[in-house]
């Protein structure tokens, strides 16, 4: 009979003398008594917070410095473009800094001359349009009166324009926008000065920059970097050289046409068409042809049609005959690859990306072509675009042709019994 306590309940079995009963497991959801935080957890939390803060700071700094980085990229490609001319003059005994200064001076004179000629042409056209505005207005008023049987006078139109709310609001907005335009002009000049300064130092101190870059690399990597640099110089310089030659040919051809038609400012328009059509990818041809067409239209509307036809024909001649010969040795990339690179560059960096996309892709293609191993292509008809005929007999086209041209056999007529 089991022993009971004083209350009549059965006594629980007690462990032997000198032993400790095992501790009961903790209930679910409760921390064990005396549990401590792991030592690595605070450090991990601090490290994670530091990484997040560094990422946010780096992202903020990158967005703030995007404009400066783009200017440096433009300056680097400009320095690569003038590198052959600077190196040629430096090899003749001229100091590299002075040679770079002479190249920049020539570029500045060319740009200033082009802007001056273009500005004088536009100013002359604006003055001509302002002087002829009353005659244009009279012709429009006469057409309206004859067509709609109205009695509109030029004096009424002028007074209505001068006292209209639209003109007053436009004048107020224009006056308020003068400061914005001035700020944009000053910002553009500062950006241009920044690009010129960095490009000058990149070109003048090109050898020192290469030595500094190679000093932190092992000898095996130094040869690869120098080779990539040389390829970039060749491709960028070749691209600008080919574009310059095509711009010269295009400008002369359009100048001859405009001079033959008697269009004013033919030399300036020829220079405009040559530069814009070659150095603005994809849409440069259409932008370049719009201004000569507009000015030719003021002389004779039929002349504008002739200019349009000539622009289209010359563009085809340039795409299929002139450009492949000039770019075969300098920037030999497929037209589809060039078009895709221009779109990608525009999406990434806007107009700047469109300008530097083709030389950058050509440099990358040449660099990869120097290290990618190539094999001989097997002599297979499919390589040349011919399909190999299977063992099942003639092809589908041949069988269809036979079904069309083959006459069915005449069945004998049944005679009635």
């Amino acid at each position: 009979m089991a022993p009971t306590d004083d209350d009549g309940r059965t006594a629980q079995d007690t462990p032997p003398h000198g032993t400790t009963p095992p501790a009961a497991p903790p209930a679910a959801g409760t921390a064990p008594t005396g549990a401590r935080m792991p030592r690595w957890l605070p450090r991990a939390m601090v490290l994670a917070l530091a990484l997040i803060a560094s990422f946010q700071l780096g992202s903020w700094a990158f967005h703030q410095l995007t404009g400066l980085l783009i200017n440096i990229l433009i300056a680097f490609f400009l320095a690569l473009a003038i590198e052959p001319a600077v190196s040629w003059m430096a090899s003749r005994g001229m100091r590299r800094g002075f040679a770079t200064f002479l190249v920049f001076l020539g570029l500045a004179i060319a740009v200033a001359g082009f802007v001056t000629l273009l500005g004088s042409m536009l100013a002359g056209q604006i003055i001509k349009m302002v002087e002829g505005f009353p005659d244009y207005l009279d012709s429009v008023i006469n057409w309206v009166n004859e067509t709609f049987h109205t009695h509109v006078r030029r004096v009424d139109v002028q007074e209505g324009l001068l006292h209209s709310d639209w003109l007053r609001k436009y004048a107020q907005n224009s006056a308020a926008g003068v400061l914005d335009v001035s700020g944009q002009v000053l910002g553009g000049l500062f950006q241009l000065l920044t690009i010129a300064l960095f490009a000058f130092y990149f070109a003048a101190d090109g050898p020192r920059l290469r030595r500094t870059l190679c000093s932190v690399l092992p000898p095996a990597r130094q040869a690869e970097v120098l080779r990539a640099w040389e390829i970039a110089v060749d491709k960028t310089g070749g691209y600008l050289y080919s574009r310059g030659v095509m711009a010269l040919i295009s400008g002369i051809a359009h100048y001859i046409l405009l001079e033959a038609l008697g269009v004013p400012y033919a030399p300036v328009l020829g220079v405009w068409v040559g530069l814009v059509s070659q150095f603005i990818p994809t849409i440069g041809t259409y932008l370049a042809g719009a201004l000569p067409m507009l000015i030719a239209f003021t002389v004779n509307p039929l002349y504008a049609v002739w200019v349009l036809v000539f622009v289209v024909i010359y563009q085809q001649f340039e795409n299929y005959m002139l450009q492949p010969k000039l770019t075969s040795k300098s920037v030999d990339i497929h037209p589809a690859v060039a078009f895709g690179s221009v779109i990608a560059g525009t999406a990434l960096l806007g107009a700047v990306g469109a300008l530097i996309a083709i030389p950058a892709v050509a440099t990358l293609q040449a660099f990869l072509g120097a290290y990618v191993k190539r094999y001989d292509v097997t002599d297979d008809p499919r390589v040349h675009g011919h399909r190999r005929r299977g063992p099942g007999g003639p092809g589908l086209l041949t069988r269809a042709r036979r079904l069309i041209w083959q006459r069915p056999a005449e069945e004998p007529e049944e005679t009635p019994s």
Side-chain angles (χ1 to χ4, degrees):
M1 186 174 181
T4 58
D5 54 8
D6 297 338
D7 297 334
R9 291 177 297 179
T10 304
Q12 297 179 352
D13 296 336
T14 59
H17 181 70
T19 60
T20 304
T30 60
T33 306
R36 305 179 65 181
M37 182 183 297
R39 295 182 178 179
W40 57 267
L41 186 58
R43 297 179 181 179
M45 294 176 63
V46 172
L47 180 60
L49 293 176
L51 290 176
I52 294 175
S54 300
F55 175 78
Q56 295 292 336
L57 181 61
S59 178
W60 173 80
F62 178 78
H63 286 292
Q64 295 295 325
L65 298 176
T66 300
L68 178 61
L69 296 177
I70 293 177
N71 292 338
I72 293 176
L73 182 63
I74 299 173
F76 178 72
F77 273 92
L78 181 60
L80 292 179
I82 66 175
E83 176 74 19
V86 174
S87 299
W88 181 81
M89 288 189 288
S91 63
R92 298 302 190 272
M94 189 178 298
R95 296 184 59 182
R96 193 174 181 87
F98 185 66
T100 306
F101 171 76
L102 290 181
V103 173
F104 270 90
L105 181 61
L107 291 176
I109 293 175
V111 172
F114 173 72
V115 172
T116 302
L117 291 176
L118 185 62
S120 62
M121 181 194 68
L122 293 178
Q125 290 299 120
I126 292 174
I127 293 174
K128 184 178 179 181
M129 291 177 62
V130 171
E131 292 177 350
F133 180 75
D135 297 333
Y136 294 148
L137 184 59
D138 289 338
S139 62
V140 172
I141 291 175
N142 293 332
W143 179 82
V144 171
N145 291 333
E146 293 176 359
T147 304
F148 300 101
H149 304 287
T150 57
H151 300 282
V152 181
R153 296 182 305 172
R154 188 176 71 180
V155 178
D156 299 335
V157 174
Q158 292 176 351
E159 290 181 355
L161 289 176
L162 292 175
H163 296 87
S164 62
D165 296 336
W166 173 82
L167 184 61
R168 185 176 66 255
K169 292 180 180 179
Y170 180 78
Q172 293 175 356
N173 294 332
S174 300
V178 170
L179 295 178
D180 296 336
V181 173
S182 302
Q184 292 178 359
V185 170
L186 292 177
L189 291 177
F190 179 77
Q191 184 178 3
L192 184 62
L193 180 61
T194 303
I195 294 173
L197 185 62
F198 276 106
F200 180 85
Y201 283 123
F202 284 153
D205 294 339
R208 183 185 304 175
L209 181 61
R210 288 190 285 269
R211 288 194 301 268
T212 303
L213 183 61
C214 291
S215 64
V216 297
L217 298 174
R221 297 295 181 185
Q222 293 179 12
E224 295 180 0
V225 170
L226 293 177
R227 183 169 184 172
W229 194 293
E230 191 67 24
I231 290 175
V233 171
D234 293 338
K235 293 301 178 180
T236 306
Y239 171 74
L240 292 181
Y241 167 76
S242 61
R243 290 291 172 179
V245 173
M246 288 191 294
L248 179 62
I249 297 175
S250 177
I252 293 175
H254 288 84
Y255 162 73
I256 293 174
L257 172 70
L258 297 174
E259 188 69 26
L261 294 177
V263 177
Y265 307 105
V268 183
L269 291 176
V271 175
W272 164 266
V273 173
L275 292 179
V276 174
S277 63
Q278 300 304 322
F279 290 98
I280 297 182
T282 308
I283 61 173
T285 302
Y286 309 103
L287 293 177
L291 184 60
M293 287 176 55
L294 180 62
I295 297 179
F297 184 83
T298 59
V299 179
N300 190 342
L302 185 60
Y303 290 171
V305 178
W306 282 109
V307 173
L308 176 61
V309 172
F310 182 81
V311 168
V312 173
I313 295 176
Y314 181 82
Q315 185 64 26
Q316 303 306 316
F317 165 75
E318 181 182 281
N319 291 338
Y320 293 101
M321 296 186 65
L322 185 62
Q323 184 173 354
K325 293 182 179 180
L326 291 177
T327 60
S328 59
K329 296 182 180 180
S330 57
V331 188
D332 189 12
I333 60 178
H334 195 273
V337 177
F339 182 71
S341 63
V342 169
I343 294 177
T346 305
L348 292 175
L349 299 176
V352 176
L355 288 175
I356 67 177
I358 294 179
V361 171
T363 302
L364 180 61
Q365 179 180 344
F367 185 72
L368 293 178
Y371 290 95
V372 175
K373 187 177 182 180
R374 298 183 180 271
Y375 301 92
D376 294 333
V377 180
T378 181
D379 190 9
D380 193 291
R382 291 170 292 185
V383 176
H384 305 285
H386 304 292
R387 293 185 60 189
R388 185 168 56 183
R389 184 175 299 174
L396 180 61
L397 184 60
T398 304
R399 286 181 292 184
R401 190 178 302 165
R402 289 179 181 179
L403 289 175
I404 294 174
W405 295 102
Q406 185 178 6
R407 293 182 180 180
E410 297 182 358
E411 298 181 357
E413 297 181 358
E414 296 183 357
T415 57
S417 55

